[in-house]
C-alpha cells in the first residue's frame, strides 16, 4: 500500500510541475508598424543586463549575434524595403548583427526558424547585408529594445538599443510607387477583372442580375481578344438565373468554343454540362 501511495504522490507531483508556466528571463515581444502603406512585423526576445555590460561581455564584439535571445529575431514585410542602393524583397527573414566599435553589420538571413545563431553560418543564406551607424545613449537601456523610429509616410529608422549603445539604419518604403499605381488605376477606371468580380458577386447573391449582366458584358469587352471562356461561362449562368435560356445557351456555346481553343478541360466539361442542362 505504501508503495502504491508513494507512486501516486510522485505522479501527482509531476503532473502539477508539468502545468506550471514559468516566465522567460528574456520576454517575447512583437512590433507591428505601418510605414506609409507597408506593413512591418518584428518578433524578438528581450534580454536584460542584470548588472552586466552588454557589448564585450554578454555579446562578443566582431562576432555574429542573434540580435536578442531565444528563437530567431524575425522581420516580415509585405513590400520591399530600400536601404540606400540595396533592396530587401518582400518576405520573412531572421535578423542577425555583428556589433563592432564604430559600426554594426546587419544581416537579413533567409532561414528564420533557427534557435539563435545557426550551427553552420551560410553566406548563401544572407539575402542582404547593411551597415548600421552607432551612437552612445545618454541613459542606460536595461532591456534590449528594437524599435521603428522617425516614421513618416515614406521612410523610417530601424534601431537596436541596449546598455548605452544604439545601432540604427534608415530605410525607404515604396509608398509613392504604390500610390501612383493606385491613382492611375482609379483614374483610368476599373478593369475587366473588377467588372467580372462585381458581376459574380451579384450572381452569388441573386440580386440585381440586370446589372450583373451589364458588368459581365463590360468584362468581355475590356478583355478583348484574349482567352475568356470563364467569362462567357459566368455570363451564361447569369442569363440562366434571369431565365433567358436561349441567350444563356449562346453564351455557354461560346464558352465551350473558347475553352476547347485554349485546351482548358475543366471549362470544356463545365460548358458541355451547362449546354445539356439548357437544352
Amino acid at each position: 500500500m505504501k508503495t502504491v501511495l508513494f507512486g501516486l504522490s510522485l505522479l501527482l507531483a509531476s503532473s502539477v510541475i508539468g502545468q506550471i508556466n514559468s516566465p522567460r528571463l528574456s520576454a517575447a515581444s512583437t512590433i507591428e508598424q505601418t510605414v506609409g502603406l507597408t506593413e512591418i512585423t518584428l518578433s524578438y526576445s528581450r534580454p536584460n543586463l542584470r548588472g552586466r555590460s552588454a557589448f564585450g561581455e554578454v555579446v562578443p564584439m566582431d562576432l555574429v549575434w542573434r540580435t536578442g535571445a531565444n528563437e530567431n529575431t524575425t522581420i516580415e514585410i509585405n513590400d520591399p524595403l530600400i536601404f540606400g542602393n540595396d533592396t530587401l524583397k518582400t518576405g520573412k527573414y531572421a535578423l542577425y548583427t555583428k556589433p563592432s566599435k564604430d559600426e554594426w553589420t546587419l544581416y537579413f538571413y533567409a532561414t528564420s526558424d533557427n534557435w539563435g545563431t545557426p550551427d553552420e553560418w551560410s553566406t548563401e543564406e544572407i539575402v542582404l547585408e547593411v551597415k548600421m551607424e552607432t551612437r552612445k545613449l545618454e541613459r542606460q537601456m536595461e532591456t534590449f529594445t528594437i524599435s521603428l523610429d522617425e516614421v513618416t509616410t515614406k521612410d523610417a529608422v530601424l534601431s537596436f538599443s541596449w546598455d548605452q549603445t544604439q545601432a540604427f539604419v534608415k530605410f525607404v518604403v515604396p509608398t509613392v510607387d504604390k500610390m501612383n499605381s493606385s491613382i492611375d488605376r482609379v483614374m483610368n477606371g476599373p478593369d475587366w477583372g473588377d467588372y467580372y468580380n462585381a458581376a459574380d458577386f451579384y450572381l452569388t447573391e441573386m440580386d440585381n442580375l440586370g446589372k450583373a449582366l451589364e458588368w459581365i458584358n463590360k468584362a468581355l469587352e475590356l478583355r478583348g481578344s484574349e482567352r475568356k471562356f470563364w467569362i462567357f461561362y459566368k455570363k451564361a449562368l447569369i442569363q440562366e438565373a434571369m431565365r433567358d435560356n436561349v441567350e444563356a445557351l449562346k453564351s455557354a456555346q461560346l464558352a465551350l468554343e473558347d475553352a476547347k481553343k485554349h485546351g482548358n478541360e475543366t471549362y470544356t466539361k463545365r460548358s458541355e454540362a451547362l449546354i445539356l442542362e439548357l437544352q
Side-chain angles (χ1 to χ4, degrees):
M1 180 61 72
K2 289 182 179 180
T3 303
V4 173
L5 290 174
F6 180 70
L8 285 172
S9 65
L10 284 178
L11 180 62
L12 290 171
S14 63
S15 176
V16 170
I17 290 171
Q19 294 175 7
I20 295 174
N21 293 320
S22 57
R24 287 186 175 187
L25 289 177
S26 300
S29 179
T30 299
I31 304 167
E32 294 181 348
Q33 178 67 57
T34 302
V35 181
L37 298 171
T38 300
E39 301 295 334
I40 301 173
T41 302
L42 284 154
S43 299
Y44 71 114
S45 294
R46 308 180 63 191
N48 290 299
L49 290 176
R50 302 198 304 276
R52 304 169 295 175
S53 295
F55 303 104
E57 184 177 347
V58 179
V59 180
M61 301 296 282
D62 301 309
L63 293 176
V64 175
W65 177 42
R66 67 174 68 185
T67 318
N70 303 325
E71 302 93 338
N72 276 160
T73 291
T74 62
I75 184 170
E76 188 167 4
I77 52 176
N78 70 334
D79 285 322
L81 303 186
I82 303 164
F83 295 86
N85 296 321
D86 298 315
T87 299
L88 179 68
K89 295 180 180 179
T90 302
K92 182 178 181 179
Y93 307 98
L95 295 183
Y96 294 103
T97 48
K98 183 189 289 184
S100 299
K101 182 180 178 182
D102 298 319
E103 67 178 10
W104 285 23
T105 304
L106 170 61
Y107 303 102
F108 294 93
Y109 203 77
T111 302
S112 60
D113 59 355
N114 289 292
W115 183 276
T117 307
D119 293 332
E120 294 185 10
W121 179 261
S122 172
T123 55
E124 294 180 358
E125 291 284 298
I126 300 173
V127 177
L128 185 64
E129 180 179 327
V130 176
K131 296 297 182 182
M132 304 181 77
E133 297 180 60
T134 61
R135 60 185 166 215
K136 185 176 181 179
L137 296 171
E138 295 181 3
R139 182 178 63 87
Q140 186 182 58
M141 183 77 72
E142 169 67 23
T143 306
F144 175 64
T145 301
I146 298 178
S147 58
L148 289 165
D149 306 318
E150 302 175 33
V151 177
T152 73
T153 58
K154 58 184 180 181
D155 54 32
V157 174
L158 173 62
S159 298
F160 303 134
S161 303
W162 201 18
D163 204 341
Q164 288 189 287
T165 299
Q166 183 179 59
F168 58 95
V169 63
K170 185 175 183 177
F171 63 87
V172 175
V173 292
T175 304
V176 174
D177 290 342
K178 291 186 75 173
M179 280 299 298
N180 285 338
S181 296
S182 179
I183 290 169
D184 288 344
R185 183 175 178 278
V186 171
M187 297 306 290
N188 290 329
D191 62 16
W192 72 266
D194 296 316
Y195 282 108
Y196 177 89
N197 290 334
D200 183 49
F201 171 76
Y202 277 131
L203 175 61
T204 301
E205 298 295 319
M206 292 299 289
D207 180 43
N208 208 345
L209 294 175
K211 179 61 72 175
L213 182 60
E214 177 186 336
W215 282 340
I216 206 70
N217 282 329
K218 191 68 176 177
L220 285 166
E221 176 188 337
L222 293 175
R223 182 69 178 172
S225 59
E226 298 181 63
R227 59 181 180 175
K228 47 192 176 184
F229 45 82
W230 68 93
I231 309 179
F232 281 125
Y233 182 80
K234 188 68 65 176
K235 180 178 179 179
L237 294 179
I238 293 170
Q239 291 167 322
E240 181 187 28
M242 297 175 72
R243 301 183 184 281
D244 189 351
N245 284 14
V246 173
E247 293 301 318
L249 183 58
K250 293 179 183 178
S251 297
Q253 288 168 339
L254 289 171
L256 177 60
E257 291 172 13
D258 199 49
K260 284 184 175 180
K261 177 182 176 182
H262 292 96
N264 189 286
E265 294 183 6
T266 299
Y267 274 89
T268 295
K269 292 179 180 178
R270 287 183 181 179
S271 300
E272 288 173 341
L274 181 57
I275 287 169
L276 286 174
E277 179 185 330
L278 293 168
Q279 288 175 335

